[in-house]
Amino acid sequence: DQQVKQNSPSLSVQEGRISILNCDYTNSMFDYFLWYKKYPAEGPTFLISISSIKDKNEDGRFTVFLNKSAKHLSLHIVPSQPGDSAVYFCAASGMAGGYQKVTFGTGTKLQVIP
Amino acid sequence: NAGVMQNPRHLVRRRGQEARLRCSPMKGHSHVYWYRQLPEEGLKFMVYLQKENIIDESGMPKERFSAEFPKEGPSILRIQQVVRGDSAAYFCASSPQLDNTEAFFGQGTRLTVV
């Protein structure tokens, strides 16, 4: 049962354009959402997050949008740079078993073409 | 301040052998999480430990897998009698507080079973 879904396994974008990565979730108990970035042979690194009480959070070139009614969030990267090429994991957290448990999606591989 | 350290980075085991994966959390972090990434899949939660306690092992396979986080020393993920299906990247993350939102990941151990 995949509670966090990233339906696009890969995405190619031209340098300078906008990259939009999408994520859907099914569990309405999730109240905090995160994006992680992962380069090959490295561990994931935290990128940006958003609380369920907000619908937008911005950090430089990265913006996360949350649509609670649709159980959908997206990560916008603008302008995209070749160094952004990586796998992006969407994650959602909610209380489970007495702690804030994080569930990850399957990832989207972004390729930014110079 | 060293990050989360995992070793070995690469581990090759023959079917039936034991695999031991080690994780030293960041300094000051007392919460450790183990994840497994199978080829073409996302990060699957395995177990959450605090010092000397297993808090949540709902993601651990029922047999052959065990984890510990002793008072002194690293956290250990042990896989007994490995099979080819155990081949994966195993990531450890740590956090200083109860929930693992924005946890810090190690670089992972890539286990190959031959």
Side-chain angles (χ1 to χ4, degrees), chain A residues 21-81:
Chain A
L21 293 88
N22 293 303
C23 177
D24 298 293
Y25 61 95
T26 57
N27 190 341
S28 57
M29 296 301 291
F30 289 143
D31 57 7
Y32 194 73
F33 304 88
L34 312 93
W35 286 94
Y36 279 82
K37 177 179 180 180
K38 183 183 179 304
Y39 291 118
E42 293 186 14
T45 55
F46 169 75
L47 187 60
I48 192 170
S49 62
I50 188 167
S51 166
S52 60
I53 62 173
K54 294 186 175 181
D55 54 18
K56 177 182 175 181
N57 187 26
E58 191 172 353
D59 183 2
R61 297 185 297 112
F62 302 91
T63 303
V64 56
F65 295 91
L66 175 62
N67 182 335
K68 287 192 293 294
S69 61
K71 293 192 177 69
H72 177 84
L73 66 155
S74 60
L75 174 67
H76 293 209
I77 307 172
V78 55
S80 301
Q81 299 174 355

Side-chain angles (χ1 to χ4, degrees), chain B residues 100-113:
Chain B
N100 67 340
T101 53
E102 303 171 29
F104 295 85
F105 280 82
Q107 292 186 298
T109 293
R110 181 158 294 281
L111 171 66
T112 302
V113 180

Side-chain angles (χ1 to χ4, degrees), chain A residues 81-96:
Chain A
Q81 299 174 355
D84 296 329
S85 297
V87 176
Y88 289 79
F89 288 101
C90 169
S93 77
M95 286 301 289

Side-chain angles (χ1 to χ4, degrees), chain A residues 2 32 41 99-102, chain B residues 9 44 56 58 99-100 102:
Chain A
Q2 190 68 33
Y32 194 73
Y99 74 101
Q100 198 75 2
K101 186 171 184 176
V102 177
Chain B
R9 290 292 309 275
K44 298 290 188 184
D56 180 359
S58 59
D99 66 75
N100 67 340
E102 303 171 29

Side-chain angles (χ1 to χ4, degrees), chain B residues 1-81:
Chain B
N1 183 19
V4 179
M5 303 300 291
Q6 288 188 249
N7 67 82
R9 290 292 309 275
H10 300 275
L11 181 62
V12 179
R13 283 288 176 265
R14 294 188 183 277
R15 281 180 294 171
Q17 290 184 321
E18 178 179 284
R20 285 196 179 200
L21 288 64
R22 288 177 290 277
C23 169
S24 296
M26 285 183 70
K27 187 176 182 180
H29 288 192
S30 58
H31 302 259
V32 166
Y33 314 84
W34 285 93
Y35 293 86
R36 176 165 65 173
Q37 184 182 18
L38 292 166
E40 308 303 321
E41 293 190 19
L43 294 163
K44 298 290 188 184
F45 168 78
M46 298 184 75
V47 63
Y48 162 37
L49 309 106
Q50 293 179 26
K51 285 284 187 180
E52 299 185 278
N53 287 304
I54 297 174
I55 306 302
D56 180 359
E57 55 181 349
S58 59
M60 289 279 271
K62 293 286 184 265
E63 298 175 348
R64 301 187 297 108
F65 285 72
S66 63
E68 62 177 5
F69 189 16
K71 188 176 181 181
E72 301 291 338
S75 175
I76 306 287
L77 178 67
R78 183 183 293 111
I79 311 172
Q80 296 177 303
Q81 299 175 329

